[in-house]
Amino acid sequence: MFKKNKKIKISALIAISVFGLIISGCQAENKKAALDTSDITLITKVLPYGEVGYALVADFGDKVDASQLKPEDFKVAATVGDQTGDRKITKVYTNDEAAVSETSKEGQYVVIELDPEDKLASTFGFDDDKFLDVPKEISYTVTQTADIKTKGGTTYEKTDKVKNSKVVTPIVDDFKKITYTDKSGSTIDYRFFEPKKEEGKKYPLVLFLHGSGERGSDNEMHLTGNQGAVVWADPKQQEKNPAYVLAPQAKAEEELNMYWVEEPNYTTVLDLLHETIEKYDIDKNRIYVVGMSNGGIGTWNIIEKNPDLFAAAVPICGVGDLRGMEIGREYEPLKDPGAFKDIKDMPIWIYHAEDDPLVDVKYSRDAEKAIKELGGKNVKYTEYAEGTVLPMGHFSWVPALQDQEMIDWLFSQSK
């Protein structure tokens, strides 16, 4: 009798336990949730023509079955300045981190990539009167149009216009944001990138001088306005050519001038460069300078005044002979190659477009010719034919900075 009752009790307990597991399993299966603003991250990306809103990432807290996802499961709207509109979704996939990926990976993050050529893709506009790129206030919302289940059994129900709470900008976020004050009290904002280092090893440094559109006091636009600074810090480039990157930002004065040539900017940047070289594990035989437009002018200026400091230079759509040069002055043929005599042997790769409407291509042609007439054999020159640089010929830095041959050439130079 006792044994029989014991068996009944054990059977009953087993039945109750199994029933409890079924109930709890059902409860897990039926768990409901919804995305909120803390789950949404906007990823911006600096492309050749500047920063764009590139993707939204939604954190579902548990692994999501990628096979069930479709682009039409989401709608994305952007507010850029005073304009609001829909963004075109190009791809939806899962990842194991809140980042874009070339391939889908199992994970809790759903990445919603957007068309970078959308009308509202860019994060900034251009002020013609001030000749400045102007950053705009941006915010994004994502609408989930279909229920999405995680592998753990949670159902994320449809949601309407959930706003992003975080913004991530790959590469740009790896630059330190610093303000430098020299001995005279002059200040300049700058960004600084450090490579992954090995003990006892020294690394080259790239000094980048931005163009007129990127002047300001945000310590941001000279990194996001184009790829002039970030191209050198790109993980793919760093894997091949690890280097420091130094990117100062000139303040925006009321009148446009040759600000990298003017004081106190010139001396302050030079002092910053020297202090940086002394402070970090930098190879003094591999200091490079790259600049575009007004930064191209600054590149010619700094190498002409410091011919023994740099191992190589890349002036893009700049002016080499600065004697008597003024902004807005009509082109005059070069009469005396003397400005280039101390740099005739420096490795220099010049870029310009034939149809540049802002800086006459003849300035770069003259520089190359003068250096060669002085006996220089290390100058290289790339000129883009009319109509090949868009939206206009002044943007020659766009193809120049995508020239891997030039990048590899630069890092191969040493004093």
Side-chain angles (χ1 to χ4, degrees), residues 177-329:
K177 184 181 286 190
I178 314 171
T179 297
Y180 173 73
T181 304
D182 68 13
K183 295 176 183 178
S184 71
S186 175
T187 64
I188 194 164
D189 293 331
Y190 72 100
R191 301 295 288 266
F192 187 60
F193 176 86
E194 297 183 55
K196 294 180 180 178
K197 295 172 284 188
E198 296 178 17
E199 187 70 29
K201 191 173 180 179
K202 292 185 178 294
Y203 298 85
L205 179 144
V206 178
L207 170 65
F208 170 68
L209 302 179
H210 64 74
S212 297
E214 292 75 57
R215 293 167 296 141
S217 302
D218 61 354
N219 210 352
E220 193 82 24
M221 184 53 70
H222 58 311
L223 264 64
T224 59
N226 51 57
Q227 291 183 322
V230 299
V231 66
W232 315 102
D234 186 289
K236 292 180 180 178
Q237 294 297 346
Q238 283 287 315
E239 185 176 348
K240 190 176 184 180
N241 301 301
Y244 290 90
V245 185
L246 179 63
Q249 183 185 35
K251 294 180 177 64
E253 305 293 343
E254 288 189 13
E255 291 188 12
L256 183 61
N257 56 28
M258 295 188 295
Y259 46 85
W260 294 125
V261 177
E262 311 287 343
E263 294 292 358
N265 283 348
Y266 167 71
T267 297
T268 303
V269 169
L270 189 61
D271 288 346
L272 168 62
L273 176 60
H274 280 299
E275 287 196 23
T276 302
I277 293 169
E278 295 301 323
K279 184 177 179 180
Y280 296 91
D281 297 322
I282 292 172
D283 184 347
K284 295 181 181 179
N285 292 316
R286 298 177 69 198
I287 309 299
Y288 313 121
V289 57
V290 179
M292 59 183 67
S293 189
N294 221 320
I297 293 173
T299 297
W300 282 114
N301 179 66
I302 201 168
I303 62 175
E304 288 166 9
K305 291 180 177 177
N306 305 273
D308 298 324
L309 179 58
F310 297 95
V314 181
I316 305 171
C317 55
V319 178
D321 182 11
L322 301 175
R323 296 170 297 186
M325 178 65 188
E326 296 178 2
I327 290 290
R329 191 188 75 178

Side-chain angles (χ1 to χ4, degrees), residues 2-129:
F2 175 80
K3 291 182 180 179
K4 186 176 181 181
N5 286 342
K6 186 176 182 180
K7 287 181 180 180
I8 292 172
K9 288 179 180 179
I10 292 173
S11 298
L13 288 171
I14 292 172
I16 291 169
S17 298
V18 171
F19 182 71
L21 287 171
I22 293 171
I23 292 297
S24 62
C26 288
Q27 289 174 340
E29 288 291 336
N30 293 327
K31 185 178 178 182
K32 305 290 185 182
L35 293 172
D36 63 36
T37 186
S38 65
D39 299 320
I40 309 300
T41 298
L42 169 64
I43 296 180
T44 67
K45 190 173 183 179
V46 180
L47 300 179
Y49 291 96
E51 183 187 42
V52 299
Y54 194 80
L56 282 182
V57 179
D59 182 359
F60 283 87
D62 191 14
K63 292 178 181 178
V64 175
D65 183 359
S67 65
Q68 70 170 304
L69 297 174
K70 304 181 295 298
E72 52 266 34
D73 291 339
F74 300 94
K75 290 182 179 179
V76 173
T79 298
V80 181
D82 58 359
Q83 292 186 310
T84 297
D86 292 335
R87 292 290 311 275
K88 180 181 177 181
I89 296 173
T90 58
K91 189 164 47 171
V92 175
Y93 55 91
T94 56
N95 201 0
D96 56 6
E97 59 178 334
V100 297
S101 174
E102 293 181 359
T103 58
S104 180
K105 302 173 186 177
E106 187 177 61
Q108 69 190 59
Y109 301 98
V110 172
V111 183
I112 308 165
E113 288 195 15
L114 307 169
D115 186 344
E117 296 185 3
D118 281 354
K119 181 180 178 181
L120 292 176
S122 179
T123 64
F124 61 91
F126 187 75
D127 187 320
D128 291 304
D129 294 332

Side-chain angles (χ1 to χ4, degrees), residues 391-405:
M392 67 171 179
H394 190 56
F395 283 59
S396 51
W397 57 81
V398 172
L401 293 170
Q402 297 177 71
D403 187 345
Q404 188 62 47
E405 181 185 354

